[in-house]
C-alpha cells in the first residue's frame, strides 16, 4: 500500500490497506484506517474518508494523525470550523513534540496557512 501511495495509485493503495485490515492485529487497525482515509481524501471521496477516519477516532479518540487527516478532509469539504477544531486537537496532543517532529510541524504549518486564509477571507 505504501509503495502504491508513493506512486499516487491511491485506489490500489486503499485496496491493499483494506486487505491488510482483515488480518491486522487490533493495534494496527487504526493506522490502516488513517491510511485508507487519506487515500479516499486524495481521490476526493470525502464522505468515505470521513467515515473511515471517524471509525479510527472511535477506537483512539486522541490519535493526532487521525485528527490531522480528518481536518484535511473537512477543509476540502468546505467545513472550515470542523477542520480547525480537529487540527487543533492534533496539535494539542503534539504540544510537547520536538520542533523537528515532522507530523507536528506539518500540522503547525497547516494551522498557520489556514489561519492566514481565514483572516484574508474575513
Amino acid at each position: 500500500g505504501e509503495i502504491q501511495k508513493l506512486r499516487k495509485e491511491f485506489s490500489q493503495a486503499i485496496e491493499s490497506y483494506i486487505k491488510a485490515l482483515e488480518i491486522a492485529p487490533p493495534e494496527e487497525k487504526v493506522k490502516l484506517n488513517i491510511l485508507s482515509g487519506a487515500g479516499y481524501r486524495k481521490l476526493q471521496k470525502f464522505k468515505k474518508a470521513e467515515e473511515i477516519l471517524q471509525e479510527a477516532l472511535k477506537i483512539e479518540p486522541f490519535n493526532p494523525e487521525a485528527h490531522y487527516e480528518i481536518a484535511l478532509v473537512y477543509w476540502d469539504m468546505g467545513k472550515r470550523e470542523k477542520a480547525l477544531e480537529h487540527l487543533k486537537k492534533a496539535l494539542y496532543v503534539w504540544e510537547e513534540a520536538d520542533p523537528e517532529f515532522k507530523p507536528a510541524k506539518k500540522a503547525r504549518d497547516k494551522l498557520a496557512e489556514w489561519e492566514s486564509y481565514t483572516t484574508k477571507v474575513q
Side-chain angles (χ1 to χ4, degrees), residues 1-121:
E2 290 297 291
I3 293 169
Q4 293 161 326
K5 181 174 83 172
L6 290 171
R7 292 180 182 156
K8 300 197 183 310
E9 298 169 348
F10 301 117
S11 293
Q12 294 90 336
I14 292 167
E15 286 177 30
S16 295
Y17 299 141
I18 290 170
K19 285 180 187 173
L21 270 169
E22 295 171 9
I23 59 170
E27 64 273 10
E28 294 296 317
K29 292 186 183 229
V30 169
K31 182 67 175 170
L32 290 165
N33 278 334
I34 294 168
L35 291 168
S36 297
Y40 281 115
R41 179 181 59 80
K42 290 176 181 172
L43 291 171
Q44 298 187 340
K45 295 183 177 184
F46 302 125
K47 283 292 186 191
K48 188 66 178 172
E50 177 187 21
E51 177 186 313
I52 287 174
L53 292 164
Q54 286 291 359
E55 280 299 312
L57 287 168
K58 282 180 190 172
I59 299 166
E60 290 184 18
F62 296 103
N63 185 300
E65 286 135 356
H67 280 290
Y68 177 77
E69 192 57 48
I70 203 165
L72 298 177
V73 170
Y74 285 135
W75 188 266
D76 289 346
M77 292 172 85
K79 297 178 178 182
R80 306 295 193 233
E81 283 186 37
K82 282 185 100 165
L84 285 166
E85 174 189 327
H86 283 279
L87 183 59
K88 288 177 181 178
K89 285 180 183 178
L91 286 168
Y92 176 77
V93 176
W94 282 325
E95 191 172 41
E96 302 286 322
D98 289 333
E100 300 83 34
F101 182 61
K102 287 181 183 181
K105 183 176 177 349
K106 262 178 38 178
R108 285 190 297 272
D109 292 347
K110 188 59 71 179
L111 181 62
E113 175 190 328
W114 288 356
E115 286 179 337
S116 168
Y117 173 81
T118 54
T119 302
K120 289 177 188 175
V121 172

